[in-house]
Amino acid sequence: MTHPVITAARFNEAGLIPAIAQQHDTGEVLMMAWMNAESIAESLATGQVCYFSRSRGKLWRKGESSGHVQRLVEMRLDCDGDTLLLLVEQTGPACHTGAHNCFFRRVTGEGLEEIA
């Protein structure tokens, strides 16, 4: 049986939907990645967040190589049905660069500034 969120979600022409990961207890925005119907279903079934890697063309289980997993606390679908919000419990850094989150570059009038 297909989960109702998969039916309600508005996937793009590639069958993907953007997903924003947010630390459930602090509200910190950690990262944005893409999900497809299969990764949504797996995340809901296992409680471990699974994304779709566009560069690899396959499912990407967050932390499968780094150990920096995301435990799914809650999944929300926005009002338009075209973006997911994942409230997660992040283990270790969320960013593949080793940064705590993926949003560590502030845009200024002069360019980009790295922040802690």
Side-chain angles (χ1 to χ4, degrees):
M1 180 176 150
T2 301
H3 192 282
V5 71
I6 294 170
T7 305
R10 291 180 41 210
F11 296 94
N12 68 15
E13 60 282 346
L16 302 174
I17 187 170
I20 299 166
Q22 181 179 35
Q23 179 65 30
H24 76 96
D25 54 355
T26 66
E28 177 185 12
V29 176
L30 300 170
M31 58 178 281
M32 179 274 178
W34 296 92
M35 297 182 90
N36 64 8
E38 186 178 359
S39 67
I40 292 170
E42 181 174 318
S43 297
L44 290 169
T46 67
Q48 296 295 321
V49 179
C50 176
Y51 296 105
F52 182 82
S53 171
R54 295 179 304 161
S55 61
R56 297 180 205 140
K58 65 177 189 171
L59 293 181
W60 161 44
R61 291 159 185 93
K62 179 70 175 152
E64 64 189 345
S65 59
S66 68
H68 302 150
V69 298
Q70 291 177 345
R71 182 180 63 81
L72 183 63
V73 174
E74 184 177 323
M75 182 182 289
R76 297 180 186 179
L77 183 65
D78 80 334
C79 59
D80 295 323
D82 61 2
T83 304
L84 292 169
L85 176 64
L86 309 178
L87 302 178
V88 302
E89 177 67 39
Q90 176 69 46
T91 301
C95 186
H96 73 280
T97 66
H100 184 69
N101 68 59
C102 294
F103 299 97
F104 57 87
R105 295 185 294 175
R106 179 183 343 213
V107 178
T108 68
E110 292 75 44
L112 297 173
E113 171 187 19
E114 288 202 15
I115 56 176

